[in-house]
Structure formats: C-alpha cells, structure tokens
Amino acid sequence: MEDPGPGPGRSDRPLALITGGGTGLGRAIGQRLARSGYDLVIASRSADHLAEGGRRLREGGGRVAEIPLDVRKPEEVDAAFARVNREFGRLDLLVNNAAGNFVAPAETISPNGWRAVVGIVLDGTFFCSRAAFPLLARSPGASIVNIVASYAWMAGPGTAHSAAAKAGVLALTRSLAVEWAARGIRVNAVAPGPVRTEGTDARLWRSDALVEEISRGIPLGRFGTPEEIAEAVEFLASDRARYITGQVLAVDGGQWLGRGVMDLLARAGDGPSR
Ligand code: COA
C-alpha cells in the first residue's frame, strides 16, 4: 500500500483502531487504551454495536469515531483506513480483534460457514494490516496486536475453522513482525483464555455448571476478565514493550498448559484438594 500522506485532521493524541471494538473484549480494550490517552476508532459490521460501543467509550472522555466495516471486504477496509487518514491523519495501533466462530463438528461445517469464519479472522486481519501499513509506518512506536487463541498452536476440536484461521493469524503475526520491523512496526498477539462477556455468555458459557467445569481445568482456577486481556494488549502496544515483536502472550490463567495428571486424579476422585 502506498502512503497517501497525512490527511487534514491530524490529531495530537495517538490513535488506535479496534476491529470488533463495539462489544465485549474489543470494547474493554478500547476503554483501557482510552485511559492511556489514545483516541479511538471502532469498526464493526453491526450498526447497533457501533452506536452502543461508541456511547460507552465516549463516557471515558476521549475522541471516538465509529466506522461500519465488514473486514472480509477489502474495498471496504481500504475505504475505512482512507477515512481514518483523512479524519485523524495518523494511526499508531491496530487491534485485529474482530472474530466469528461457532461450534460444530468439522465434517458438518459448510463451505460458507468455513469461509465466514476464516474470512473474518484471517482475511480480515490481513486486509486491515495491509491497509494500516502506510499509516503505521509514519508513526514512531507503531504496532499491531492480533487477538488469537491457544488453539492457534494446539488443537481446536469443535472449532476447526477458527483454529485454522487463528493459526494463520499467528503465522501472519510472526511474518509481518519480521517484514515490518525495519519500518518500525511491531506485531504481536494476545491469546485470551475463557472470558465472560455478554456475547460469550449468550453463545458459549450458557450455564454455571459449564463455567465451573472449565474453571477446574485452569491452573489459576477461574475465567479471565475482559480487563485482564485489555491490560496485555495495552502493554504490548506501549513503549514498555518496545523490544518485543513477533510474540504471542497467553493470558489464560495457565489453561493451555493443562493440569495433566492432577486433572485425571481429580476426575477419578483421587486427586489432591487443590
Ligand atoms: N453451525 C453451523 N453452521 C453455521 C452456524 C452454526 N452455529 N452459524 C452459521 N453457520 C453457517 C451458516 O449456515 C452459513 O452457511 P450456509 O450458507 O452453508 O448455510 C454460514 O455459516 C454463514 O452464515 P451467516 O450467518 O450467513 O454468516 P455471517 O457472516 O452473517 O455470520 C458467523 C458469521 C457465522 C461467524 C456468525 O456466527 C457471527 O457473525 N458471529 C458473531 C461474532 C462471533 O461469533 N464472535 C465469536 C468470537 S469467539
């Protein structure tokens, strides 16, 4: 992508663009970044999510712009970043957070279902990163943070499409980290463990029994909070992480490491009490 040069509306404050920034994790990341002095652009396919997210984020007092965007559509993505350049004249941080997922055995996933998830997660991350590149390259200390999941490097039974897409995002994270280091752009990823938001409560964690069962498999014994994930994103984007690139930070209470034999013994009723 060529640099069109800064637009007329150049802001003094750093600017972060968060895809899927109207709800859940994306909104929590926005709230954390706003407290660190960022102006925000949130992008989403849903007008309702944008309106509600924008309203909630403005309560923090900063500048917040909302851009309707389907990250699967490269023309829409290019237009969105052109608008960011016109209205803000800069971009310092891109958070590729937009995701789509559903639980289904792999053999039942239709080609459209596969394309929907891989399109949002993998294509969307690439299209947004590519369109952000000229703006980020102009900003000292710019970075990208991609939201992945530990099944990017493990296995994602029941969510094969999402696991394949997140694995792609992880490979993209590392590839762009090396390619764009010379342009001063760091590229990292955060892998959240299970987190409760309105969206995940409705879609995934539908009963207290399920939450308890999952929590038992997490060494730290509980779900994460959106704020804990947002802290990691803010850190990786900050100057405190200026020598970190191409890395993935799991914020999951140790979940991906598993509980090994301790879990087996506990399930057999023969485990230690912890
Ligand atoms: N099980 C099986 N197939 C499903 C499904 C489910 N629960 N949900 C959607 N699909 C299939 C649809 O049937 C369709 O395939 P088909 O044309 O062969 O029937 C395909 O996926 C696309 O569905 P559609 O609803 O048209 O796509 P969309 O672009 O509007 O939605 C999704 C994208 C599928 C990812 C949707 O779940 C979504 O938007 N989720 C919200 C965001 C989200 O999931 N976040 C999760 C973060 S963990």
Side-chain angles (χ1 to χ4, degrees), residues 239-259:
D239 193 52
R240 278 129 55 216
R242 62 191 169 275
Y243 202 49
I244 300 176
T245 196
Q247 303 305 305
V248 56
L249 179 53
V251 185
D252 69 344
Q255 186 194 34
W256 84 267
L257 300 170
R259 285 173 44 86

PDB file of all heavy atoms in Angstrom, residues 239-259:
ATOM      1  N   ASP A 239       5.245   1.604  24.936  1.00  0.00           N
ATOM      2  CA  ASP A 239       6.692   1.732  24.824  1.00  0.00           C
ATOM      3  C   ASP A 239       7.427   0.774  25.765  1.00  0.00           C
ATOM      4  O   ASP A 239       8.588   0.448  25.550  1.00  0.00           O
ATOM      5  CB  ASP A 239       7.067   3.193  25.131  1.00  0.00           C
ATOM      6  CG  ASP A 239       8.495   3.486  24.746  1.00  0.00           C
ATOM      7  OD1 ASP A 239       8.861   3.184  23.586  1.00  0.00           O
ATOM      8  OD2 ASP A 239       9.262   3.980  25.610  1.00  0.00           O
ATOM      9  N   ARG A 240       6.713   0.310  26.815  1.00  0.00           N
ATOM     10  CA  ARG A 240       7.333  -0.678  27.722  1.00  0.00           C
ATOM     11  C   ARG A 240       7.661  -1.968  26.981  1.00  0.00           C
ATOM     12  O   ARG A 240       8.487  -2.758  27.430  1.00  0.00           O
ATOM     13  CB  ARG A 240       6.387  -0.992  28.892  1.00  0.00           C
ATOM     14  CG  ARG A 240       6.427   0.010  30.012  1.00  0.00           C
ATOM     15  CD  ARG A 240       5.029   0.492  30.392  1.00  0.00           C
ATOM     16  NE  ARG A 240       4.113  -0.568  30.729  1.00  0.00           N
ATOM     17  CZ  ARG A 240       2.802  -0.559  30.425  1.00  0.00           C
ATOM     18  NH1 ARG A 240       2.284   0.443  29.740  1.00  0.00           N
ATOM     19  NH2 ARG A 240       2.028  -1.543  30.791  1.00  0.00           N
ATOM     20  N   ALA A 241       6.999  -2.207  25.856  1.00  0.00           N
ATOM     21  CA  ALA A 241       7.224  -3.438  25.087  1.00  0.00           C
ATOM     22  C   ALA A 241       8.001  -3.144  23.812  1.00  0.00           C
ATOM     23  O   ALA A 241       7.922  -3.897  22.839  1.00  0.00           O
ATOM     24  CB  ALA A 241       5.885  -4.089  24.761  1.00  0.00           C
ATOM     25  N   ARG A 242       8.788  -2.069  23.825  1.00  0.00           N
ATOM     26  CA  ARG A 242       9.409  -1.598  22.573  1.00  0.00           C
ATOM     27  C   ARG A 242      10.394  -2.588  21.957  1.00  0.00           C
ATOM     28  O   ARG A 242      10.744  -2.451  20.790  1.00  0.00           O
ATOM     29  CB  ARG A 242      10.086  -0.244  22.800  1.00  0.00           C
ATOM     30  CG  ARG A 242      11.222  -0.259  23.813  1.00  0.00           C
ATOM     31  CD  ARG A 242      11.663   1.153  24.180  1.00  0.00           C
ATOM     32  NE  ARG A 242      12.571   1.139  25.330  1.00  0.00           N
ATOM     33  CZ  ARG A 242      12.175   1.138  26.601  1.00  0.00           C
ATOM     34  NH1 ARG A 242      10.893   1.176  26.900  1.00  0.00           N
ATOM     35  NH2 ARG A 242      13.051   1.092  27.584  1.00  0.00           N
ATOM     36  N   TYR A 243      10.874  -3.582  22.746  1.00  0.00           N
ATOM     37  CA  TYR A 243      11.817  -4.566  22.194  1.00  0.00           C
ATOM     38  C   TYR A 243      11.146  -5.925  21.985  1.00  0.00           C
ATOM     39  O   TYR A 243      11.809  -6.943  21.845  1.00  0.00           O
ATOM     40  CB  TYR A 243      13.018  -4.689  23.145  1.00  0.00           C
ATOM     41  CG  TYR A 243      14.269  -5.246  22.485  1.00  0.00           C
ATOM     42  CD1 TYR A 243      14.742  -4.730  21.282  1.00  0.00           C
ATOM     43  CD2 TYR A 243      14.980  -6.285  23.081  1.00  0.00           C
ATOM     44  CE1 TYR A 243      15.879  -5.250  20.679  1.00  0.00           C
ATOM     45  CE2 TYR A 243      16.127  -6.806  22.490  1.00  0.00           C
ATOM     46  CZ  TYR A 243      16.567  -6.276  21.288  1.00  0.00           C
ATOM     47  OH  TYR A 243      17.693  -6.792  20.693  1.00  0.00           O
ATOM     48  N   ILE A 244       9.809  -5.928  21.987  1.00  0.00           N
ATOM     49  CA  ILE A 244       9.062  -7.177  21.825  1.00  0.00           C
ATOM     50  C   ILE A 244       8.330  -7.149  20.496  1.00  0.00           C
ATOM     51  O   ILE A 244       7.507  -6.262  20.254  1.00  0.00           O
ATOM     52  CB  ILE A 244       8.029  -7.361  22.966  1.00  0.00           C
ATOM     53  CG1 ILE A 244       8.732  -7.390  24.332  1.00  0.00           C
ATOM     54  CG2 ILE A 244       7.218  -8.638  22.750  1.00  0.00           C
ATOM     55  CD1 ILE A 244       7.788  -7.476  25.519  1.00  0.00           C
ATOM     56  N   THR A 245       8.625  -8.112  19.644  1.00  0.00           N
ATOM     57  CA  THR A 245       7.846  -8.232  18.401  1.00  0.00           C
ATOM     58  C   THR A 245       7.779  -9.692  17.966  1.00  0.00           C
ATOM     59  O   THR A 245       8.667 -10.489  18.285  1.00  0.00           O
ATOM     60  CB  THR A 245       8.410  -7.317  17.281  1.00  0.00           C
ATOM     61  OG1 THR A 245       7.398  -7.202  16.259  1.00  0.00           O
ATOM     62  CG2 THR A 245       9.699  -7.848  16.669  1.00  0.00           C
ATOM     63  N   GLY A 246       6.677 -10.034  17.288  1.00  0.00           N
ATOM     64  CA  GLY A 246       6.507 -11.400  16.790  1.00  0.00           C
ATOM     65  C   GLY A 246       6.135 -12.403  17.870  1.00  0.00           C
ATOM     66  O   GLY A 246       6.226 -13.610  17.651  1.00  0.00           O
ATOM     67  N   GLN A 247       5.662 -11.909  19.019  1.00  0.00           N
ATOM     68  CA  GLN A 247       5.396 -12.804  20.151  1.00  0.00           C
ATOM     69  C   GLN A 247       3.903 -12.965  20.393  1.00  0.00           C
ATOM     70  O   GLN A 247       3.103 -12.112  20.019  1.00  0.00           O
ATOM     71  CB  GLN A 247       6.046 -12.245  21.432  1.00  0.00           C
ATOM     72  CG  GLN A 247       7.526 -12.025  21.302  1.00  0.00           C
ATOM     73  CD  GLN A 247       8.255 -13.297  20.860  1.00  0.00           C
ATOM     74  OE1 GLN A 247       8.132 -14.343  21.493  1.00  0.00           O
ATOM     75  NE2 GLN A 247       9.003 -13.214  19.768  1.00  0.00           N
ATOM     76  N   VAL A 248       3.566 -14.086  21.042  1.00  0.00           N
ATOM     77  CA  VAL A 248       2.183 -14.276  21.471  1.00  0.00           C
ATOM     78  C   VAL A 248       2.171 -14.403  22.991  1.00  0.00           C
ATOM     79  O   VAL A 248       2.963 -15.148  23.563  1.00  0.00           O
ATOM     80  CB  VAL A 248       1.525 -15.490  20.779  1.00  0.00           C
ATOM     81  CG1 VAL A 248       2.305 -16.764  20.996  1.00  0.00           C
ATOM     82  CG2 VAL A 248       0.088 -15.678  21.255  1.00  0.00           C
ATOM     83  N   LEU A 249       1.318 -13.628  23.618  1.00  0.00           N
ATOM     84  CA  LEU A 249       1.203 -13.641  25.084  1.00  0.00           C
ATOM     85  C   LEU A 249      -0.122 -14.302  25.459  1.00  0.00           C
ATOM     86  O   LEU A 249      -1.199 -13.778  25.143  1.00  0.00           O
ATOM     87  CB  LEU A 249       1.253 -12.182  25.590  1.00  0.00           C
ATOM     88  CG  LEU A 249       1.138 -11.931  27.079  1.00  0.00           C
ATOM     89  CD1 LEU A 249       2.144 -12.747  27.876  1.00  0.00           C
ATOM     90  CD2 LEU A 249       1.332 -10.441  27.370  1.00  0.00           C
ATOM     91  N   ALA A 250      -0.039 -15.479  26.077  1.00  0.00           N
ATOM     92  CA  ALA A 250      -1.258 -16.167  26.518  1.00  0.00           C
ATOM     93  C   ALA A 250      -1.694 -15.559  27.845  1.00  0.00           C
ATOM     94  O   ALA A 250      -0.905 -15.490  28.798  1.00  0.00           O
ATOM     95  CB  ALA A 250      -0.989 -17.663  26.677  1.00  0.00           C
ATOM     96  N   VAL A 251      -2.932 -15.097  27.899  1.00  0.00           N
ATOM     97  CA  VAL A 251      -3.484 -14.526  29.133  1.00  0.00           C
ATOM     98  C   VAL A 251      -4.659 -15.420  29.486  1.00  0.00           C
ATOM     99  O   VAL A 251      -5.811 -15.135  29.167  1.00  0.00           O
ATOM    100  CB  VAL A 251      -3.925 -13.060  28.908  1.00  0.00           C
ATOM    101  CG1 VAL A 251      -4.385 -12.420  30.216  1.00  0.00           C
ATOM    102  CG2 VAL A 251      -2.777 -12.248  28.309  1.00  0.00           C
ATOM    103  N   ASP A 252      -4.336 -16.565  30.086  1.00  0.00           N
ATOM    104  CA  ASP A 252      -5.340 -17.633  30.195  1.00  0.00           C
ATOM    105  C   ASP A 252      -5.248 -18.404  31.504  1.00  0.00           C
ATOM    106  O   ASP A 252      -5.736 -19.536  31.597  1.00  0.00           O
ATOM    107  CB  ASP A 252      -5.179 -18.611  29.012  1.00  0.00           C
ATOM    108  CG  ASP A 252      -3.894 -19.423  29.101  1.00  0.00           C
ATOM    109  OD1 ASP A 252      -2.989 -19.047  29.889  1.00  0.00           O
ATOM    110  OD2 ASP A 252      -3.785 -20.438  28.391  1.00  0.00           O
ATOM    111  N   GLY A 253      -4.621 -17.814  32.511  1.00  0.00           N
ATOM    112  CA  GLY A 253      -4.535 -18.495  33.808  1.00  0.00           C
ATOM    113  C   GLY A 253      -3.778 -19.809  33.727  1.00  0.00           C
ATOM    114  O   GLY A 253      -3.927 -20.675  34.581  1.00  0.00           O
ATOM    115  N   GLY A 254      -2.965 -19.969  32.689  1.00  0.00           N
ATOM    116  CA  GLY A 254      -2.194 -21.213  32.522  1.00  0.00           C
ATOM    117  C   GLY A 254      -2.987 -22.319  31.849  1.00  0.00           C
ATOM    118  O   GLY A 254      -2.537 -23.466  31.773  1.00  0.00           O
ATOM    119  N   GLN A 255      -4.179 -21.991  31.294  1.00  0.00           N
ATOM    120  CA  GLN A 255      -5.068 -23.032  30.773  1.00  0.00           C
ATOM    121  C   GLN A 255      -4.413 -23.932  29.727  1.00  0.00           C
ATOM    122  O   GLN A 255      -4.581 -25.147  29.756  1.00  0.00           O
ATOM    123  CB  GLN A 255      -6.336 -22.416  30.180  1.00  0.00           C
ATOM    124  CG  GLN A 255      -7.351 -23.468  29.753  1.00  0.00           C
ATOM    125  CD  GLN A 255      -8.443 -22.907  28.865  1.00  0.00           C
ATOM    126  OE1 GLN A 255      -8.207 -22.005  28.083  1.00  0.00           O
ATOM    127  NE2 GLN A 255      -9.643 -23.431  28.995  1.00  0.00           N
ATOM    128  N   TRP A 256      -3.671 -23.308  28.792  1.00  0.00           N
ATOM    129  CA  TRP A 256      -3.176 -24.133  27.684  1.00  0.00           C
ATOM    130  C   TRP A 256      -2.124 -25.135  28.128  1.00  0.00           C
ATOM    131  O   TRP A 256      -1.911 -26.158  27.475  1.00  0.00           O
ATOM    132  CB  TRP A 256      -2.702 -23.281  26.513  1.00  0.00           C
ATOM    133  CG  TRP A 256      -1.299 -22.744  26.570  1.00  0.00           C
ATOM    134  CD1 TRP A 256      -0.910 -21.539  27.054  1.00  0.00           C
ATOM    135  CD2 TRP A 256      -0.113 -23.381  26.077  1.00  0.00           C
ATOM    136  NE1 TRP A 256       0.445 -21.377  26.917  1.00  0.00           N
ATOM    137  CE2 TRP A 256       0.970 -22.501  26.310  1.00  0.00           C
ATOM    138  CE3 TRP A 256       0.151 -24.611  25.464  1.00  0.00           C
ATOM    139  CZ2 TRP A 256       2.281 -22.798  25.966  1.00  0.00           C
ATOM    140  CZ3 TRP A 256       1.475 -24.913  25.127  1.00  0.00           C
ATOM    141  CH2 TRP A 256       2.515 -24.013  25.374  1.00  0.00           C
ATOM    142  N   LEU A 257      -1.504 -24.878  29.286  1.00  0.00           N
ATOM    143  CA  LEU A 257      -0.516 -25.834  29.794  1.00  0.00           C
ATOM    144  C   LEU A 257      -1.193 -27.098  30.323  1.00  0.00           C
ATOM    145  O   LEU A 257      -0.573 -28.150  30.403  1.00  0.00           O
ATOM    146  CB  LEU A 257       0.299 -25.186  30.921  1.00  0.00           C
ATOM    147  CG  LEU A 257       1.066 -23.922  30.508  1.00  0.00           C
ATOM    148  CD1 LEU A 257       1.624 -23.220  31.735  1.00  0.00           C
ATOM    149  CD2 LEU A 257       2.170 -24.263  29.524  1.00  0.00           C
ATOM    150  N   GLY A 258      -2.470 -26.961  30.697  1.00  0.00           N
ATOM    151  CA  GLY A 258      -3.231 -28.112  31.177  1.00  0.00           C
ATOM    152  C   GLY A 258      -2.911 -28.443  32.620  1.00  0.00           C
ATOM    153  O   GLY A 258      -2.006 -27.856  33.227  1.00  0.00           O
ATOM    154  N   ARG A 259      -3.671 -29.381  33.206  1.00  0.00           N
ATOM    155  CA  ARG A 259      -3.431 -29.788  34.588  1.00  0.00           C
ATOM    156  C   ARG A 259      -2.946 -31.235  34.672  1.00  0.00           C
ATOM    157  O   ARG A 259      -2.802 -31.800  35.750  1.00  0.00           O
ATOM    158  CB  ARG A 259      -4.689 -29.573  35.429  1.00  0.00           C
ATOM    159  CG  ARG A 259      -4.917 -28.080  35.756  1.00  0.00           C
ATOM    160  CD  ARG A 259      -6.250 -27.857  36.431  1.00  0.00           C
ATOM    161  NE  ARG A 259      -6.543 -28.827  37.451  1.00  0.00           N
ATOM    162  CZ  ARG A 259      -6.159 -28.740  38.721  1.00  0.00           C
ATOM    163  NH1 ARG A 259      -5.463 -27.693  39.131  1.00  0.00           N
ATOM    164  NH2 ARG A 259      -6.467 -29.667  39.589  1.00  0.00           N
TER     165      ARG A 259
END
